[in-house]
Amino acid sequence: MPGHFEPLPGGGAAVALDDVEISIIRSLAVQLLELIGPGPAGDAPDDPLAELFAEGPSEPPADPVLRRLFPDAYTDPEGTPGPKQADEQKEHSAEFRRYTENDLRAGKRDNALAVIRSLDALASEAAAAGGAVLELAPRESQQWLGALNDLRLAIGARLEITDEEDTDVLYRLPDDDPRKPMVMAYLWLGGLQETLVTTLLP
């Protein structure tokens, strides 16, 4: 079980984590929460209906990490579109973003919070024993899967990873490269994500 998820009887998944691993994942999840930001009316709005019908932004985020987490919905898979097509894609993407981004952000916040809460519940046990086994119910497993994906997207954006060839280059970075710790976290989270996907397959 160390370093990878395994299925639990009746659904869900389990993974053994030491206190350092718990601290790393928790810290990354907190940073992700801070990056995503609070909801449009705060975390505890007085009027839930107001948040339900609140319009989101229409422009893509300036931060490259947020652009990776919340990409434009309409792009040209064939390459660079012509001016008219580009304007249409921008208009459609803005409209889609306006009515979906708030919900997407809320979902990503919920997933990151689920990770933090489950790790906090495990922290005292891990500190006493040098590690502990995290057991996740099926719903929590899905939230972890979403959060791990978001964390890898965020780190990948910071590392400017756009395709598999970029990942191959990262494997060969010298130990004194300042990106090395972030690369190690990216690869480690990828391994966790892959085993969690496998665990949750029917």
Side-chain angles (χ1 to χ4, degrees), residues 168-189:
D168 293 340
V169 171
L170 295 176
Y171 276 108
R172 298 190 294 273
L173 285 178
D175 290 341
D176 59 354
D177 191 297
R179 296 171 294 171
K180 190 73 171 185
M182 197 180 298
V183 169
M184 297 305 294
Y186 178 83
L187 297 174
W188 173 56
L189 292 173

Side-chain angles (χ1 to χ4, degrees), residues 119-141:
L119 292 177
D120 285 349
L122 193 70
S124 58
E125 181 183 344
V133 175
L134 175 69
E135 295 188 354
L136 301 172
R139 167 67 178 155
E140 292 173 311
S141 298

Side-chain angles (χ1 to χ4, degrees), residues 136-152:
L136 301 172
R139 167 67 178 155
E140 292 173 311
S141 298
Q142 292 293 338
Q143 291 178 305
W144 263 75
L145 187 58
L148 288 173
N149 185 62
D150 288 341
L151 289 174
R152 292 193 76 240

Side-chain angles (χ1 to χ4, degrees), residues 12-169:
V15 62
L17 298 171
D18 63 34
D19 51 352
V20 174
E21 292 168 333
I22 290 170
S23 177
I24 291 171
I25 298 174
R26 189 187 189 284
S27 175
L28 290 171
V30 168
Q31 291 177 56
L32 181 65
L33 268 181
E34 292 172 348
L35 184 65
I36 293 171
D43 289 332
D46 294 330
D47 183 0
L49 289 177
E51 183 175 7
L52 180 64
F53 293 105
E55 290 188 5
S58 59
E59 294 296 322
D63 188 298
V65 174
L66 289 175
R67 281 202 304 274
R68 183 76 62 90
L69 292 173
F70 305 103
D72 277 336
Y74 296 90
T75 56
D76 189 350
E78 302 300 322
T80 305
K84 182 178 180 181
Q85 188 179 9
D87 288 342
E88 289 177 352
Q89 288 178 1
K90 184 176 180 181
E91 182 180 339
H92 294 321
S93 290
E95 190 74 4
F96 186 84
R97 185 181 296 278
R98 184 178 295 117
Y99 294 109
T100 61
E101 187 167 311
N102 284 345
D103 284 344
L104 289 174
R105 284 182 182 256
K108 292 179 186 301
R109 275 194 301 273
D110 288 346
N111 290 343
L113 278 170
V115 167
I116 292 167
R117 288 170 180 153
S118 60
L119 292 177
D120 285 349
L122 193 70
S124 58
E125 181 183 344
V133 175
L134 175 69
E135 295 188 354
L136 301 172
R139 167 67 178 155
E140 292 173 311
S141 298
Q142 292 293 338
Q143 291 178 305
W144 263 75
L145 187 58
L148 288 173
N149 185 62
D150 288 341
L151 289 174
R152 292 193 76 240
L153 285 174
I155 295 173
R158 290 286 185 244
L159 292 170
E160 299 181 346
I161 296 172
T162 57
D163 55 40
E164 196 61 36
E165 289 183 7
D166 294 334
T167 306
D168 293 340
V169 171

